């Protein structure tokens, strides 16, 4: 029979239930025939956690209340039901780390959690925990607890995925029920009820553990014992690279720009601003240019403004900002609001703006066009980029058409109608008229 | 134009390069909790990592990572300040236990939840002081798309070689911006091999040789008992109060980083002969600094440029470079000049000026104005 504990005296106060947990854990592991090196004991902060040095298993001593989460990582990494991961945690740790307990039980991570519940914080002077039952006194709660403490067994029993839950009194020999918990695959939990000899006994003279448990309305019993699915860590093989040379963009329309062009598209979420900007970027690249594209939008997807910046250049693009764009295309009121700061700083360049919008003060050349009316709100950005390319000719229209037609948006989109509408003399006239008015 | 025909140019973002680089380096598992602007790294990792875990919160994320690392797997996560703040105690734990892992910190505008979709460089001061007691947490900063490919591998190697968590520092603009990027010239990323203790004598978890880095064995191995401990501990990993052996072990955590720094020192130094002014910048602002240097040189002004990538611990090599200049301009996208303060303190240095700001990228013209004003 292999030893799991060193020969040295256990590090706990005389009469502390933690002694019993340590001794019964050794006995339970011996009953099950484990080898110490197939056992990982994970502890955290609290008196119970100083047990590490006494165990001959692997030991990991972590942060207050986090031992279950730490053990989750170990259990998932070992991914081996033959290894026994045991967590020692106190009622204080179980309070602060409740989420970890629920999560580990929910997922069926393979471990046994042993909660040392002495109903107070023993290491820091006997403060109450959320497990302190009604009427139970501690040095900083001399009037006694006024609320029922957490019934952790009930809480965890309610979680799908848990295989075993029991509560027992931490006296005499409880190695067999402990061994039963250790033998279950998946998530098991044992709550061991104790009274802290330093603070619990002194604050509640003459009170017996069984009375405390009974008064607290806590049942000493097995709550759950069932077959569950053990969490199995997926390890994918034959993973494909995220990108490959076969995706490279071919230069079809060699173009040279005298200087970099910085564009900004400003519209509303759901109106294709980001897609339009990506079409410009890709079309620029098929024209042999260097390019970048970035988006700006509020946190909530699908509401408010949507803006994108595109830089196209024959040279290497070092700086990816566009504080003063050469071309600003505004297709909605949301977009105009977002663009105001940029507009006021523009010292030249071109502003393409939807005819429905009031043109703000700017030094940019204003080109007004009814993008929303012609293309509909959803397509206003697409109309915007084709229109601005028609007017600027910074790279061949074929490049943009080629990129656009490859995209799924194009399938439901009438390109011929768009060109007809973009070229309509009436529209031109409107834009000229608006320009005149705004001046 | 012919060159462009040959180049294999793809439209990609920095996140894609980072994740692919880490996967090729041999990172085993991505554990994450979503947060803007780190979500692209999360989703690419889901596709590319051998194992992927969606943790229920950032404390769990770091704890799970510690569990994986203690078991011999290399874990990676990505977060931004609000999530990273929750990881702080657990990063200290990983540091104390000497668990290799990589945390990609994608900076966004603060304080608090600030603006999730606005870039920033506001977390360096936190990183510099976040290990309680005056210890340095290694921080590697990405300053270009090419860095997104090369530095994750180097940061991971640093984490493994020094047995420590490493922060790969970046920002929204760097990893979410799409760029036409040539992959033709990318160097190969090599799989990083782990070395485990193979001796027959009893394994002493925190015993070291002159490298000051203890050999590693995972928990669960069937040859030797392994202990990992977050509290002050001796070489055996047993909790101590303040015994000499234990405090020497704690001090070693800092010394090992300082002693081995030169093997993990990465920077770009673009020196122009005759220049009396040096621009220093890192991260997203390095792009403005590069452009500023280009424009100044085109105007006939002599200028040198230093882009530190191993930001922390600070290398003496940076001061040696700075000593060769009359003026130093340090540009970074935060309010007070965090790296400048790390280098020169609140008192500053009369030859050193900062170009700082928040909520928008620092422009090349602001750097140029500062230099012309000097």
């Amino acid at each position: 029979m292999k030893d799991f504990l060193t020969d040295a005296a256990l590090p706990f106060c005389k009469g502390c239930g933690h002694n019993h947990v340590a001794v019964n854990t050794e006995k339970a592991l011996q009953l099950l025939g484990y080898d110490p090196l197939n056992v990982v004991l994970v502890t955290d902060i609290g008196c119970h956690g100083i047990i590490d040095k006494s165990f001959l298993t692997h030991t990991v001593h972590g942060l207050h209340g986090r031992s279950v989460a730490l053990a989750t990582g170990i259990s998932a990494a070992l991914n081996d039901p033959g290894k026994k991961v045991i967590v020692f945690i106190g009622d204080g740790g179980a309070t602060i780390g409740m989420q970890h307990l629920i999560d580990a039980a929910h997922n069926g991570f393979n471990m046994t959690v042993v909660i040392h519940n002495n109903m107070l914080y023993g290491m820091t002077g006997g403060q109450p925990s959320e497990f302190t039952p009604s009427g139970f006194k501690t040095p900083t709660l001399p009037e006694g607890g006024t609320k029922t403490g957490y019934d952790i067994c009930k809480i965890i029993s309610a979680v799908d995925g848990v295989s075993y839950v029991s509560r027992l009194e931490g006296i005499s020999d409880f190695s067999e029920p402990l061994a039963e918990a250790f033998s279950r695959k998946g998530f098991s939990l044992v709550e061991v009820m104790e009274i802290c000899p330093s603070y619990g006994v002194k604050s509640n003279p003459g009170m017996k553990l069984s009375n405390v448990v009974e008064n607290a309305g806590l049942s000493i019993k097995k709550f759950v014992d069932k077959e569950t699915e053990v969490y199995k860590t997926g390890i994918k093989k034959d993973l494909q690279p995220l990108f490959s040379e076969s995706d490279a963009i071919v230069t079809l329309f060699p173009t040279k720009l005298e200087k970099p062009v910085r564009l900004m598209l400003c519209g509303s979420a759901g109106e294709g601003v980001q897609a339009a900007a990506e079409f410009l970027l890709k079309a620029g690249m098929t024209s042999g240019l260097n390019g970048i594209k970035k988006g700006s939008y509020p946190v909530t997807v699908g509401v408010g403004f949507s803006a994108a910046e595109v830089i196209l250049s024959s040279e290497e693009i070092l700086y990816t900002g566009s504080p003063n764009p050469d071309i600003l295309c505004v297709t909605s009121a949301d977009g105009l609001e977002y663009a105001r700061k940029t507009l006021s700083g523009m010292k030249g360049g071109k502003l393409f703006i939807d005819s429905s919008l009031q043109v703000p003060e700017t030094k940019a050349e204003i080109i007004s066009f009814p993008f929303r009316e012609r293309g509909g709100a959803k397509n206003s950005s697409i109309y915007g980029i084709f229109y601005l390319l028609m007017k600027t000719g910074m790279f061949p229209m074929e490049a943009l058409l080629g990129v656009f037609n490859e995209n799924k948006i194009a399938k439901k989109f009438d390109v011929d109608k768009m060109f007809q509408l973009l070229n309509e003399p009436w529209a031109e006239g409107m834009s000229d008229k608006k320009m005149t008015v705004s001046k | 134009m012919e060159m462009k025909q040959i180049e294999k140019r793809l439209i990609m973002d920095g996140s894609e390069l980072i994740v692919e680089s880490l996967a090729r380096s041999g990172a085993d598992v991505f554990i994450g909790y979503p947060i803007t602007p780190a979500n692209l790294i999360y989703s690419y990792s889901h596709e590319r990592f051998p194992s992927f875990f969606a943790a229920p919160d950032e404390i769990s994320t770091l704890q799970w990572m510690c569990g994986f690392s203690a078991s011999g797997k290399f874990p990676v996560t990505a977060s931004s300040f609000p999530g990273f703040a929750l990881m702080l105690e657990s990063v200290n734990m990983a540091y104390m236990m000497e668990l290799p892992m990589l945390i990609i910190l994608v900076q966004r505008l603060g304080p608090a939840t600030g603006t999730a979709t606005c870039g920033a460089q506001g977390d360096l001061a936190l990183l510099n002081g976040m290990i309680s007691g005056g210890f340095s947490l290694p921080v590697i900063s990405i300053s270009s798309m090419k860095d997104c490919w090369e530095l994750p591998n180097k940061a991971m190697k640093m984490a493994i070689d020094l047995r420590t968590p490493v922060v790969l520092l970046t920002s929204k603009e760097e990893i979410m911006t799409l760029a036409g990027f040539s992959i033709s010239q990318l160097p190969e990323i090599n799989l990083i091999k782990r070395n485990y203790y193979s001796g027959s004598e009893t394994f002493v978890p925190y015993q070291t040789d002159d490298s000051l880095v203890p050999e590693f064995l995972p928990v669960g191995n069937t040859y030797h008992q392994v202990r990992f401990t977050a509290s002050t501990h001796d070489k055996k990993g047993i909790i101590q109060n303040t015994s000499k052996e234990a405090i020497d072990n704690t001090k070693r955590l800092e010394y090992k980083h300082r002693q081995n720094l030169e093997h993990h020192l990465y920077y770009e130094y673009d020196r122009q002969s005759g220049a009396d002014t040096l621009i220093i910048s890192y991260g997203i602002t390095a792009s403005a600094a590069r452009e500023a240097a280009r424009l100044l040189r085109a105007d006939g002004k002599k200028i040198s440029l230093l882009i530190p990538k191993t930001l922390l611990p600070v290398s003496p090599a940076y001061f040696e470079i700075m000593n060769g200049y009359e003026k130093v301009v340090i540009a970074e996208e935060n309010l007070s000049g965090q790296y400048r303060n790390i280098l020169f303190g609140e008192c500053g240095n009369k030859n050193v000026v900062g170009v700082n700001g928040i909520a928008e990228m620092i422009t090349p013209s602001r750097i140029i104005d500062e230099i012309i004003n000097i």
Side-chain angles (χ1 to χ4, degrees):
Chain A
M1 201 175 286
K2 295 198 172 172
D3 286 340
F4 288 78
L5 288 168
T6 64
D7 294 334
L10 295 175
F12 303 118
C13 302
K14 195 180 170 193
C16 177
H18 296 356
N19 289 298
H20 298 301
V21 178
V23 169
N24 280 286
T25 296
E26 176 179 59
K27 209 169 165 187
L29 290 167
Q30 286 170 338
L31 283 173
L32 296 169
Y34 269 104
D35 184 288
L37 294 185
N38 277 326
V39 177
V40 183
L41 177 67
V42 186
T43 62
D44 63 28
I45 301 300
C47 292
H48 70 88
I50 57 175
I51 193 65
D52 296 50
K53 63 181 175 187
S54 301
F55 266 89
L56 296 165
T57 62
H58 300 290
T59 62
V60 187
H61 179 84
L63 303 180
H64 186 45
R66 308 300 170 199
S67 48
V68 175
L70 177 54
T72 295
I74 291 169
S75 173
L78 294 176
N79 207 19
D80 178 358
K83 304 284 182 190
K84 186 70 226 169
V85 177
I86 298 172
V87 176
F88 279 6
I89 192 168
D91 50 304
T95 300
I96 196 171
M98 183 66 72
Q99 162 68 28
H100 307 311
L101 276 161
I102 293 170
D103 189 76
H106 174 65
N107 286 294
F109 285 114
N110 188 34
M111 68 177 79
T112 301
V113 177
V114 181
I115 299 181
H116 301 49
N117 182 8
N118 59 10
M119 301 168 285
L120 49 73
Y121 296 122
M123 193 173 247
T124 49
Q127 297 86 349
S129 77
E130 295 303 308
F131 285 63
T132 305
S134 173
F136 190 77
K137 295 173 185 170
T138 85
T140 61
L141 190 67
E143 66 278 18
T146 54
K147 290 177 293 184
T148 310
Y150 286 171
D151 187 333
I152 189 68
C153 290
K154 274 191 187 168
I155 293 171
I156 297 301
S157 295
V159 181
D160 269 349
V162 67
S163 73
Y164 185 95
V165 177
S166 79
R167 178 182 291 121
L168 48 86
E169 285 179 8
I171 44 177
S172 64
D173 187 339
F174 50 91
S175 58
E176 283 191 17
L178 212 47
E180 193 171 70
F182 290 163
S183 70
R184 298 298 187 265
K185 302 303 175 198
F187 184 88
S188 54
L189 179 141
V190 179
E191 183 185 20
V192 181
M193 301 303 298
E194 306 174 15
I195 289 191
C196 171
S198 293
Y199 299 111
V201 172
K202 283 178 193 163
S203 298
N204 302 274
M207 196 178 268
K208 285 186 176 170
L209 179 62
S210 53
N211 293 341
V212 176
V213 172
E214 193 183 335
N215 294 344
L218 298 172
S219 310
I220 300 295
K221 65 171 187 178
K222 202 191 291 181
F223 288 74
V224 177
D225 189 0
K226 65 182 184 193
E227 287 280 321
T228 53
E229 212 160 297
V230 184
Y231 188 90
K232 196 161 169 25
T233 300
I235 302 170
K236 287 187 258 180
K237 303 212 187 303
D238 303 325
L239 289 155
Q240 297 304 307
L242 292 170
F243 51 84
S244 75
E245 291 194 355
S246 61
D247 302 327
I249 292 169
V250 182
T251 300
L252 299 170
F253 309 97
T255 303
K256 182 94 178 153
L257 288 175
E258 279 179 23
K259 62 185 192 69
V261 178
R262 293 180 136 82
L263 302 103
M264 191 169 173
L265 310 182
C266 296
S268 291
E271 295 184 359
V273 177
Q274 303 305 325
E278 285 182 35
F279 294 146
L280 274 181
L281 169 63
K282 195 169 180 188
M285 288 179 65
T286 62
S287 304
L289 301 170
N290 293 308
I292 69 105
K293 175 262 165 187
K294 57 183 169 181
S296 295
Y297 22 78
V299 183
T300 311
V301 179
V303 183
F305 74 90
S306 179
E309 293 170 36
V310 177
I311 305 174
L312 297 171
S313 174
S314 293
E315 308 302 324
E316 185 188 2
I317 299 165
L318 296 177
Y319 179 62
T320 57
S322 301
N324 287 304
D326 304 290
I327 296 168
L328 176 60
C329 180
V330 179
T331 50
S332 79
D334 289 328
L336 181 58
E337 269 315 297
Y338 181 77
R340 278 188 197 282
K341 194 168 102 180
T342 307
L343 264 168
S344 63
M346 282 173 79
K347 295 178 177 67
K350 289 179 163 59
L351 167 66
F352 293 86
I353 185 163
D354 190 83
S355 313
S356 66
L357 302 169
Q358 190 167 5
V359 182
E361 193 80 18
T362 178
K363 294 193 172 90
E365 178 193 344
I366 298 158
I367 302 158
S368 187
F369 187 87
F371 300 113
R372 300 182 76 79
E373 188 195 310
R374 303 279 98 177
K378 198 169 59 136
N379 295 323
S380 54
S381 302
I382 304 294
Y383 272 56
I385 57 167
F386 276 99
Y387 189 70
L388 70 84
L389 186 59
M390 273 170 56
K391 294 290 173 188
T392 60
M394 62 187 146
F395 57 75
M397 184 59 79
E398 293 91 322
L400 184 56
L401 258 180
V403 167
F404 181 70
N405 284 332
E406 281 174 10
N407 195 277
K408 63 181 179 190
I409 296 175
K411 288 178 186 152
K412 295 180 194 165
F413 192 97
D414 191 337
V415 172
D416 292 337
K417 186 181 161 201
M418 175 181 70
F419 277 108
Q420 196 187 338
L421 291 169
L422 290 178
N423 283 308
E424 198 175 84
W426 176 83
E428 291 279 346
M430 281 297 285
S431 68
D432 288 342
K433 195 176 164 192
K434 288 269 174 181
M435 258 167 62
T436 312
V437 171
S438 70
K439 280 176 184 171
Chain B
M1 295 315 294
E2 277 179 21
M3 268 303 289
K4 287 183 178 132
Q5 300 278 17
I6 302 162
E7 280 183 4
K8 303 288 184 191
R9 294 191 309 155
L10 273 65
I11 292 177
M12 55 203 319
D13 54 52
S15 304
E16 212 171 345
L17 287 165
I18 289 170
V19 171
E20 183 64 29
S21 174
L22 287 169
R24 292 189 193 191
S25 302
D28 296 289
V29 57
F30 184 93
I31 302 170
Y33 187 85
I35 186 167
T36 305
N39 296 328
L40 285 175
I41 295 175
Y42 181 103
S43 51
Y44 287 130
S45 297
H46 181 261
E47 195 179 328
R48 188 63 180 92
F49 269 63
S51 296
F52 176 93
F53 285 82
D57 59 76
E58 285 88 348
I59 295 175
S60 297
T61 298
L62 245 287
Q63 288 293 326
W64 292 12
M65 286 171 76
C66 289
F68 268 90
S69 187
S71 307
K73 308 291 184 195
F74 192 86
V76 177
T77 193
S79 193
S80 194
F81 171 77
F84 184 73
L86 294 177
M87 298 174 176
L88 196 143
E89 188 191 16
S90 299
V91 176
N92 272 256
M93 179 179 103
Y95 191 89
M96 191 65 155
M97 288 183 170
E98 301 184 66
L99 295 174
M101 61 178 63
L102 186 67
I103 301 157
I104 304 166
L105 177 54
V106 187
Q107 294 170 104
R108 69 186 223 186
L109 182 63
T113 38
T115 302
T117 51
C118 180
Q121 291 182 279
D123 298 335
L124 193 57
L126 167 70
L127 295 173
N128 189 46
M130 69 174 274
I131 304 297
S132 181
F135 295 79
S136 56
L137 178 69
V139 176
I140 308 274
S141 160
I142 280 168
S143 299
S144 65
M145 287 286 276
K146 197 158 167 275
D147 283 352
C148 290
W149 180 249
E150 293 183 38
L151 291 183
N153 171 271
K154 294 188 188 315
M156 179 173 159
K157 182 148 178 32
M158 186 181 196
I160 288 169
D161 286 357
L162 301 187
R163 275 194 61 173
T164 181
V166 169
V167 171
L168 188 66
L169 187 65
T170 181
S171 69
K172 180 251 175 182
E173 301 282 350
E174 289 183 287
I175 62 146
M176 289 187 73
T177 299
L178 285 174
F181 182 69
S182 171
I183 61 166
S184 307
Q185 304 301 320
L186 287 180
E188 192 147 331
I189 296 293
N190 294 318
L191 186 74
I192 300 169
K193 288 192 180 139
R194 302 284 300 264
N195 294 318
Y196 289 159
Y197 174 76
S198 56
S200 53
E201 289 171 23
T202 302
F203 176 64
V204 182
Y206 293 105
Q207 183 162 288
T208 69
D209 57 15
D210 292 343
S211 73
L212 303 184
V213 183
E215 290 193 85
F216 185 89
L217 264 184
V219 291
N221 85 83
T222 51
Y223 303 101
H224 298 274
Q225 185 194 27
V226 175
R227 294 186 191 277
F228 290 102
T229 314
S231 299
T232 303
H233 53 268
D234 61 16
K235 288 177 185 173
K236 291 178 182 166
I238 292 183
I239 296 173
Q240 302 291 324
N241 189 305
T242 53
S243 71
K244 183 177 183 308
E245 182 182 322
I247 296 305
D248 284 348
N249 181 68
T250 302
K251 288 179 184 169
R252 178 183 55 76
L253 299 176
E254 173 64 8
Y255 300 156
K256 75 173 175 182
H257 290 160
R258 299 281 175 186
Q259 178 177 304
N260 294 295
L261 180 59
E262 62 182 313
H263 305 302
H264 304 278
L265 180 58
Y266 307 106
Y267 62 85
E268 278 173 37
Y269 180 33
D270 178 6
R271 180 176 174 275
Q272 187 171 32
S273 182
D276 58 9
T277 302
L278 174 72
I279 305 172
I280 298 179
S281 194
Y282 60 93
I284 185 60
T285 309
S287 75
R290 288 190 187 99
E291 178 71 1
R294 188 184 70 80
L295 292 169
L296 285 163
R297 285 169 183 171
D299 242 17
K301 168 89 181 163
K302 286 192 163 66
I303 197 86
S304 292
L305 179 65
L306 172 65
I307 299 174
K309 295 178 181 177
T310 305
L311 292 181
L312 298 173
V314 173
S315 168
Y318 299 155
F319 289 103
E320 281 168 30
I321 290 171
M322 281 185 264
N323 285 341
Y325 294 89
E326 289 174 21
K327 299 284 178 189
V328 176
V329 176
I330 304 179
E332 50 189 321
E333 196 182 325
N334 56 59
L335 203 55
S336 52
Q338 294 184 340
Y339 202 44
R340 184 162 45 91
N341 281 345
I342 289 168
L343 295 173
F344 296 102
E346 288 287 342
C347 184
N349 178 308
K350 63 181 169 56
N351 298 325
V352 179
V353 294
V355 178
N356 303 108
I358 59 167
E360 58 190 10
M361 287 171 69
I362 303 282
T363 60
S365 60
R366 284 196 56 206
I367 298 171
I368 291 168
D369 287 350
E370 194 61 54
I371 288 164
I372 290 169
N373 286 339
I374 289 171

